[in-house]
Amino acid sequence: DQQVKQNSPSLSVQEGRISILNCDYTNSMFDYFLWYKKYPAEGPTFLISISSIKDKNEDGRFTVFLNKSAKHLSLHIVPSQPGDSAVYFCAAKRAEYNDMRFGAGTRLTVKP
Amino acid sequence: EPEVTQTPSHQVTQMGQEVILRCVPISNHLYFYWYRQILGQKVEFLVSFYNNEISEKSEIFDDQFSVERPDGSNFTLKIRSTKLEDSAMYFCASGPDRGHQPQHFGDGTRLSIL
């Protein structure tokens, strides 16, 4: 299932700098997009979401940008902290359906 | 903060045996889900459950699988005649609605089929 793609398996960033995680999707019917963070031996933790009627949603250090024409979304973390080191999953769904489609994840490492 | 809890954290079962994975969703949530993640692969949707019945299921969720809400708090996934390829992390999730609402996940059950 290639409907949601995260092409960067890993990203390394210095503490205090910006982390930018990217996600592409192919299904233009998706209208709700989410980012989850996952630590080892834990389940995915919801981080932030955006509906297709918006192009930006901000929550503290986390901002998600949606470019519908490019079928692309990104997660910005500013400033990055060592505790942000985790695997980040992009997910997408259609409001009228229950199944979420996940990307393969990007492992973020924030170095002190 | 309320959370989804799953038991056991790790289940080891002989091939061909039946296994039941248990979940306690967040109490005021109405939609319940099972996902799985085979090692090195993506998280995949299995099934959603609402109002005591399956609302959606994926191609993975065949006759080998069943779900049940036996009481007001538990949500279970039963896998009959387990196969080696059923080895995976199984995540339970719940959500208040199915629209533009996030699903909240438990920490998963690691199922190992020998």
Side-chain angles (χ1 to χ4, degrees), chain B residues 10-11 21 35-39 44 84-91 109-113:
Chain B
H10 190 190
Q11 174 79 45
L21 309 182
Y35 289 79
R36 80 172 183 191
Q37 185 179 27
I38 295 171
L39 187 64
E44 301 172 290
L84 293 176
E85 52 265 39
D86 295 327
S87 296
M89 282 293 292
Y90 287 82
F91 294 106
T109 293
R110 178 172 298 284
L111 178 62
S112 299
I113 307 299

Side-chain angles (χ1 to χ4, degrees), chain A residues 1-2 4 31-32 34 36 38 41-44 46 51 89 93-100 102-104, chain B residues 31 33 35 37 41-45 48 55-56 89 91 97-108:
Chain A
D1 181 348
Q2 294 296 311
V4 179
D31 58 7
Y32 186 53
L34 308 93
Y36 285 85
K38 187 181 182 303
E42 294 184 12
F46 170 70
S51 74
F89 292 99
K93 70 186 293 288
R94 294 171 60 176
E96 67 267 39
Y97 295 120
N98 289 299
D99 65 322
M100 279 197 302
F102 281 81
Chain B
Y31 286 83
Y33 311 89
Y35 289 79
Q37 185 179 27
Q41 298 186 22
K42 290 184 177 183
V43 176
E44 301 172 290
F45 170 78
S48 62
S55 50
E56 284 171 53
M89 282 293 292
F91 294 106
D97 196 355
R98 71 172 181 182
H100 288 183
Q101 293 284 344
Q103 298 173 16
H104 297 270
F105 286 76
D107 285 341

Side-chain angles (χ1 to χ4, degrees), chain A residues 14 35 38-39 53 59 61 63-64 75 80 92 94 96:
Chain A
Q14 206 67 35
W35 284 95
K38 187 181 182 303
Y39 294 118
I53 60 172
D59 183 2
R61 296 186 298 115
T63 303
V64 56
L75 174 68
S80 302
R94 294 171 60 176
E96 67 267 39

Side-chain angles (χ1 to χ4, degrees), chain B residues 12-62:
Chain B
V12 182
T13 301
Q14 290 289 327
M15 186 171 60
Q17 296 296 305
E18 175 182 285
V19 65
I20 297 176
L21 309 182
R22 302 180 191 279
C23 170
V24 178
I26 294 172
S27 61
N28 63 345
H29 284 181
L30 301 177
Y31 286 83
F32 315 117
Y33 311 89
W34 285 100
Y35 289 79
R36 80 172 183 191
Q37 185 179 27
I38 295 171
L39 187 64
Q41 298 186 22
K42 290 184 177 183
V43 176
E44 301 172 290
F45 170 78
L46 293 179
V47 66
S48 62
F49 193 85
Y50 170 72
N51 200 26
N52 280 321
E53 61 183 21
I54 291 173
S55 50
E56 284 171 53
K57 59 182 181 178
S58 71
E59 292 176 352
I60 303 168
F61 194 88
D62 59 21

